[in-house]
């Protein structure tokens, strides 16, 4: 599913991408293969209770196997409080991670943080179960446009159609004259 989603974005290859809850790096490395002149940052708190074998060493090893280790950065951080500047990323991804946050408020904080670090004109894709429609409402309230929530299909079911994975897609409106530029500094 992620291969198809990333291919559909028609990336130029120089994008800055963020993968929230990157785990062992499946989506991280798939994105890195598509941005040979870009950078992909993976954020995780590396809890094995969320995913078996979830540790930074596994993510690095998988990036090395895919030969993309030269274009990834890993950050140990909670996605509810990202130590990253505003508007840094052209694309923000998250696959099956935000639902691991137990409180509704915490999930909302994570979605708001994902939107905060997205540059104007950037795209956000979240694949998740249970709360995806709420993520869509949070993004719309934050000002996101081109928002959709679609079923990822049978390949992403968890035990059957009663637990589907939904894909939330949104864009941050493009910056106008005088708005902040992509690195978060004001233009003069």
């Amino acid at each position: 599913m992620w291969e198809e989603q990333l291919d559909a974005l028609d990336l130029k290859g120089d994008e800055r991408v963020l993968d929230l809850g990157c785990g062992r790096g499946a989506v991280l490395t798939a994105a890195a293969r598509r941005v040979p002149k870009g950078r992909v940052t993976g954020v995780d708190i590396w809890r094995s209770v969320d995913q078996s074998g979830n540790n930074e060493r596994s993510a690095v090893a998988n990036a090395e196997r895919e030969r993309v280790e030269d274009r990834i950065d890993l950050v140990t951080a909670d996605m509810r409080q990202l130590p990253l500047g505003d508007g840094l990323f052209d694309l923000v991804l998250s696959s099956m991670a935000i639902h691991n946050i137990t409180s509704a408020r915490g999930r909302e904080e994570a979605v708001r943080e994902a939107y905060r670090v997205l540059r104007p004109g950037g795209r956000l894709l979240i694949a998740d179960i249970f709360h995806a429609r709420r993520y869509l409402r949070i993004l719309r309230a934050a000002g996101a446009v081109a928002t959709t929530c679609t079923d990822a299909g049978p390949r992403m079911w968890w035990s059957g159609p009663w637990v589907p994975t939904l894909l939330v897609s949104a864009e941050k409106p493009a910056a106008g004259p005088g708005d902040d530029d992509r690195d978060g500094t004001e233009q003069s």
Side-chain angles (χ1 to χ4, degrees):
M1 190 274 307
W2 276 106
E3 299 288 338
E4 291 168 9
Q5 291 299 319
L6 292 168
D7 286 346
L9 293 173
D10 197 28
L11 299 172
K12 296 179 295 183
D14 63 351
E15 288 85 358
R16 293 167 70 182
V17 180
L18 175 63
D19 181 6
L20 293 174
C22 67
R24 295 185 306 250
V27 176
L28 178 86
T29 58
R33 286 193 311 272
R34 288 162 174 81
V35 293
K37 295 178 183 170
R39 297 294 300 170
V40 182
T41 301
V43 170
D44 209 302
I45 56 173
W46 315 111
R47 289 176 7 138
S48 62
V49 69
D50 295 332
Q51 179 184 49
S52 64
N54 187 22
N55 58 62
E56 193 171 353
R57 285 185 319 275
S58 294
V60 169
N62 287 328
E64 289 170 348
R65 277 187 209 97
E66 293 288 333
R67 295 188 171 104
V68 296
E69 70 275 10
D70 61 325
R71 60 191 98 130
I72 68 159
D73 300 300
L74 298 176
V75 176
T76 300
D78 188 320
M79 67 178 88
R80 295 170 291 186
Q81 295 178 318
L82 295 171
L84 305 165
D86 296 352
L88 291 178
F89 297 95
D90 301 294
L91 176 62
V92 175
L93 310 169
S94 183
S95 183
M96 304 305 295
I98 298 173
H99 73 269
N100 290 320
I101 299 170
T102 57
S103 73
R105 180 182 173 138
R107 289 187 299 274
E108 181 173 344
E109 290 168 350
V111 172
R112 288 187 183 285
E113 279 290 275
Y115 190 70
R116 178 185 66 78
V117 299
L118 188 64
R119 74 160 174 81
R123 164 122 344 246
L124 172 78
L125 293 173
I126 301 171
D128 217 335
I129 54 176
F130 304 126
H131 312 289
R133 287 184 178 84
R134 175 72 181 131
Y135 307 160
L136 188 68
R137 290 191 295 274
I138 293 164
L139 289 164
R140 286 177 176 162
V145 296
T147 57
T148 62
C149 183
T150 57
D151 191 323
R155 292 178 295 167
M156 292 291 289
W157 286 347
W158 295 92
S159 72
W162 45 87
V163 186
T165 298
L166 299 176
L167 184 65
V168 174
S169 177
E171 291 180 15
K172 186 177 264 190
D179 287 346
D180 291 352
D181 68 9
R182 112 186 242 180
D183 70 1
T185 60
E186 208 165 281
Q187 295 180 12
S188 50

